Amino acid sequence: DTGSAAAIPINEVDIAYVTPVTIGTPPQTLMLDLDTGSSDLWVFSSLTPSNQVRGQEIYSPTKSSTSKLLSGHTWSIRYGDGSGSRGTVYTDNFTIGGLEVKSQAVQAALEVSSSFTQEQSLDGLVGLGFSALNTVRPSSQLTFFDNARPNLDEEVFTADLKYHATGSYDFGFIDSKKYAGNITYTAVQQSPGYWTHSLSGYSVGSGAFHASQISGISDTGTTLLYLPTAIVTAYYRQVQGAQNSQYYGGYVFPCSSTLPTFTFGIEGARFTIPASYINYTRISPTSTTCYGGLQSSSGLGINIFGDVALKAAFVVFSGTNPPRIGFAIK
Ligand SMILES: CC(C)(C)S(=O)(=O)N[C@@H](Cc1ccccc1)C(=O)N[C@@H](Cc1c[nH]c[nH+]1)C(=O)N[C@@H](CC1CCCCC1)C(O)(O)C(F)(F)C(=O)NCCN1CCOCC1
C-alpha cells in the first residue's frame, strides 16, 4: 500500500503544517499536524470541554460505527513549548492520503492547553516519532506509521515541506519526481524515540564549510532550526544590526537586513537554506524588526532540525532496520 497527502501551512509564516485525515465510519475529516518529534496521535474530540474548543474540527467516537473505547487507558503529553493535552483512547479506522489503518489508537482529548485552543487551524497531531515515546498507559500504542508498515510497499515515509506553499507527505514509496539527484542517507539513533542523526557540518553564506558532527532531531513539528550557540553567533555576526534579544527570546535583526544563506551537511552532501527562510517573521505586524528562523538550542538541551531546515530538502524517514534518514535536493 501507499498514501500521499498535502502538507498545508497553517499561516503565512509556515508556523506549522496540517494534513487532512479521516477517522471512523462514516469518515470524519480533521486537519492534523504530522509531527516526527512525538508519537501520540491525538485529536480534539466530542469529549473536549466546549470552552477549550475554538473553531477546531472534532472527532466524535459515538458517531463512528467502527470506534471502540480502549477501556482503562489514558494519555498525557507535554511539548517543548510548554503546551500539552491529555485524555482517553479509542481505536478506529484512520486514513491519510488513501492509506488506511484499521483500529489505529486515536487519543481523544479531555483537556488541551490554551495554546491549542487558540490555534484553530490545528485539530490535533499525528506522532511519527518512534512508538517508544507514546504516552498511552497502561499499555503504550503504536504510531500510524508503525501500524501501516507491514502493508507498505516500502518501509518509508517522506516529507516534502515547502516555503509559503503546500507540500506533501508520502507513505510507502519514494516519489522520484519530488527531488533531483541522489538521496544521501545517514544513520538514525532511535533512542529515546526521536529521529536523531548528525549533520556533518555547516557553512554561512559563501564561507568555508566547517566539518563537525552536530547531533539533533529532524522534527517536522518544530517551526524553526535550533543549533549550538557558537554556530548561531557565527551566522548573525554577518547580519548588520542583529542582536540576541532577551526580550524577544532570540536573535532579531532589522527586516531590511541582507541575510546570508545557511548550508548544512548530511554526510558528503550539502543543503542550502535560502536567506528568505531565515528571515522568519516580523515581531509584530507593523514592526521593522524581524525574528530569525535560526536560533540557539542552548535552552532546549537538544538541537532541532525543524521546518526551516527540512523545507530546504526532500526528506526520507526510513523505518528499515536499522532506521535511517535521507536528504535530497529538490
Ligand atoms: C514559532 C515558534 C515561536 C518557534 S513556536 O514555538 O510557536 N512554534 C512551535 C510549534 C507551534 C505551531 C503552531 C502553533 C503553536 C506552536 C514549536 O516549534 N514548538 C516546538 C519546540 C519548541 C520548543 N521551544 C521552541 N520550540 C514543539 O514543542 N514541537 C512539538 C510539536 C508541536 C507542539 C505544539 C503544537 C504544534 C506541534 C514536538 O513534538 O515537535 C517536539 F518534538 F518539540 C516535542 O515537544 N516533542 C515531545 C516529546 N515528548 C518526549 C516525552 O514523551 C512524549 C513526547
Side-chain angles (χ1 to χ4, degrees):
D1 297 0
T2 63
S4 187
I8 306 159
I10 65 169
N11 71 359
E12 71 291 343
V13 292
D14 304 345
I15 192 173
Y17 296 83
V18 287
T19 295
V21 311
T22 63
I23 316 175
T25 313
Q28 301 176 40
T29 298
L30 276 71
M31 303 300 282
L32 305 185
D33 184 351
L34 271 55
D35 172 24
T36 57
S38 66
S39 306
D40 283 38
L41 192 170
W42 73 266
V43 292
F44 275 77
S45 75
S46 49
L47 311 173
T48 313
S50 54
N51 69 332
Q52 295 180 21
V53 183
R54 196 166 303 150
Q56 290 83 4
E57 294 297 318
I58 62 168
Y59 165 59
S60 302
T62 53
K63 290 184 181 163
S64 169
S65 61
T66 41
S67 72
K68 286 192 190 64
L69 177 69
L70 200 60
S71 64
H73 285 70
T74 59
W75 59 279
S76 175
I77 192 164
R78 180 72 54 200
Y79 295 101
D81 56 9
S83 59
S85 52
R86 66 171 186 82
T88 185
V89 190
Y90 291 82
T91 59
D92 209 339
N93 299 349
F94 189 89
T95 300
I96 302 181
L99 175 66
E100 181 180 54
V101 166
K102 293 193 181 308
S103 59
Q104 167 68 44
V106 178
Q107 299 169 218
L110 284 169
E111 184 177 19
V112 301
S113 63
S114 59
S115 66
F116 283 114
T117 299
Q118 285 153 28
E119 196 49 71
Q120 65 176 14
S121 328
L122 202 144
D123 305 330
L125 272 71
V126 180
L128 293 174
F130 294 89
S131 293
L133 280 181
N134 180 264
T135 73
V136 175
R137 296 297 177 266
S139 42
S140 84
Q141 301 299 302
L142 295 179
T143 65
F144 171 78
F145 179 56
D146 276 351
N147 281 322
R149 261 158 49 148
N151 308 320
L152 292 179
D153 294 6
E154 255 189 286
E155 282 192 278
V156 297
F157 65 91
T158 67
D160 180 15
L161 301 180
K162 290 182 190 278
Y163 172 73
H164 297 181
T166 294
S168 59
Y169 285 102
D170 294 339
F171 292 86
F173 74 109
I174 295 173
D175 186 344
S176 56
K177 295 189 295 303
K178 292 185 177 175
Y179 65 92
N182 298 322
I183 300 170
T184 301
Y185 288 94
T186 193
V188 160
Q189 196 243 344
Q190 73 182 68
S191 72
Y194 299 109
W195 290 87
T196 305
H197 63 96
S198 290
L199 307 182
S200 52
Y202 72 95
S203 59
V204 175
S206 54
F209 185 78
H210 300 268
S212 78
Q213 292 296 303
I214 304 157
S215 175
I217 67 170
S218 274
D219 181 4
T220 56
T222 285
T223 315
L224 307 182
L225 170 56
Y226 297 90
L227 291 176
T229 301
I231 297 176
V232 177
T233 45
Y235 177 85
Y236 287 108
R237 200 176 296 132
Q238 309 294 326
V239 179
Q240 286 288 333
Q243 53 170 322
N244 189 4
S245 158
Q246 305 301 330
Y247 183 76
Y248 292 114
Y251 279 88
V252 296
F253 44 83
C255 295
S256 56
S257 307
T258 304
L259 294 177
T261 60
F262 185 84
T263 297
F264 60 93
I266 297 286
E267 305 291 347
R270 301 285 179 261
F271 300 89
T272 297
I273 303 172
S276 55
Y277 295 17
I278 302 174
N279 193 339
Y280 178 63
T281 187
R282 291 180 187 281
I283 48 173
S284 71
T286 55
S287 173
T288 60
T289 302
C290 279
Y291 191 81
L294 170 61
Q295 296 293 343
S296 169
S297 61
S298 56
L300 305 180
I302 188 171
N303 296 312
I304 306 183
F305 317 135
D307 299 338
V308 159
L310 299 179
K311 67 179 116 171
F314 175 80
V315 188
V316 181
F317 294 84
S318 176
T320 46
N321 191 4
R324 56 184 194 162
I325 192 165
F327 286 74
I329 306 277
K330 64 189 183 190

